[in-house]
Amino acid sequence: MDTATRIDRTLQGAIAAILGLSVALHFWDPIFFTEGYAYEDGPVEYGTALCLLASSLLLLANAGALAGRGLRLAAVLTAIYGLVFFFGAGEEISWGQRIFGWESSDFFKQNNKQMETNLHNLVVGDQALSRTVFGKGLTAVVLLYLVALPLLYPRVAIIRRLADKLAIPVPGLRHTIAALASSIVIAVIDQNRKWEVYELIFSIVMVSVFLLPQNRHKTR
């Protein structure tokens, strides 16, 4: 068993453990779930940021490997994926604002619903971007990627060729199962902060996808 496989199995175990812990805490102590587990600037939120950063670093390393093989288009696209995840990691912790204690500019104080330096909490007109862009729409895209693509990739030749040419990491069946299981668990949990756990699970799943996708030989 190689190192990547061992890490991947650890990630799968972490997903199962977090889901089990979240359900247990929800029924055992709902207040602790909100105030001691999934609270703002807590372990769940920082875990999400770290996983997004890990995804970014994996993708950028893959981009370098692809560039070394002369696959320029795939390398550029993979680097872009990496930068998107780096952006996500920064947004998750408001670019370190609460860690280092610096103050938001007037723009963010006036237009950000939490008065923090990030884009996903901006309010444009009466619409919060966290709901319109970063909310249900993004969740639907991620679920489509994790559920539909793994099933279509081995069965539809044109999708397989396109994914391989563009070096799109294709999730495996274990990722589909994790996505569906976490969606069911989150639906059962009745907590305002449950979405923080949902984000953590999906960030771990993405690390696993980029580490060991179905088309590993095409993405690095």
Side-chain angles (χ1 to χ4, degrees):
M1 185 187 302
D2 62 12
T3 301
T5 301
R6 286 195 293 270
I7 294 173
D8 185 68
R9 290 191 176 182
T10 300
L11 294 172
Q12 301 308 311
I15 291 170
I18 292 169
L19 288 176
L21 177 62
S22 298
V23 172
L25 287 177
H26 165 61
F27 289 107
W28 173 60
D29 192 342
I31 295 177
F32 181 79
F33 183 101
T34 300
E35 298 181 0
Y37 175 57
Y39 62 94
E40 188 81 13
D41 291 336
V44 171
E45 187 171 84
Y46 282 112
T48 300
L50 286 173
C51 288
L52 292 173
L53 179 60
S55 289
S56 174
L57 295 176
L58 273 172
L59 289 165
L60 292 174
N62 288 347
L66 291 166
R69 291 168 53 193
L71 302 173
R72 294 183 179 178
L73 176 59
V76 169
L77 290 175
T78 302
I80 291 173
Y81 308 152
L83 293 175
V84 168
F85 275 84
F86 181 81
F87 173 81
E91 283 283 298
E92 184 67 20
I93 58 172
S94 297
W95 301 98
Q97 179 175 3
R98 294 186 298 276
I99 296 174
F100 301 108
W102 45 272
E103 202 171 324
S104 297
S105 66
D106 290 340
F107 172 81
F108 286 104
K109 286 181 179 180
Q110 295 171 10
N111 297 284
N112 187 289
K113 67 180 182 180
Q114 293 184 349
M115 293 188 291
E116 297 174 345
T117 306
N118 59 55
L119 298 181
H120 69 278
N121 283 322
L122 284 180
V123 176
V124 179
D126 294 327
Q127 297 295 319
L129 293 186
S130 58
R131 291 185 178 181
T132 57
V133 177
F134 299 101
K136 293 181 179 179
L138 181 59
T139 300
V141 170
V142 173
L143 282 173
L144 188 65
Y145 170 71
L146 290 172
V147 176
L149 185 58
L151 299 176
L152 295 174
Y153 176 80
R155 295 172 176 83
V156 182
I158 188 171
I159 291 178
R160 182 168 59 252
R161 288 195 297 270
L162 184 62
D164 289 346
K165 182 177 181 180
L166 300 180
I168 298 172
V170 179
L173 181 59
R174 66 193 185 283
H175 302 123
T176 301
I177 293 172
L180 293 176
S182 61
S183 297
I184 293 170
V185 168
I186 291 301
V188 170
I189 294 175
D190 184 20
Q191 295 281 348
N192 290 334
R193 300 290 297 177
K194 67 181 182 179
W195 302 112
E196 299 297 328
V197 177
Y198 202 40
E199 290 176 3
L200 174 59
I201 294 295
F202 272 85
S203 68
I204 297 173
V205 169
M206 297 313 295
V207 175
S208 177
V209 171
F210 301 146
L211 183 68
L212 280 180
Q214 282 194 52
N215 56 342
R216 181 182 184 184
H217 61 292
K218 296 291 187 180
T219 59
R220 63 197 66 192

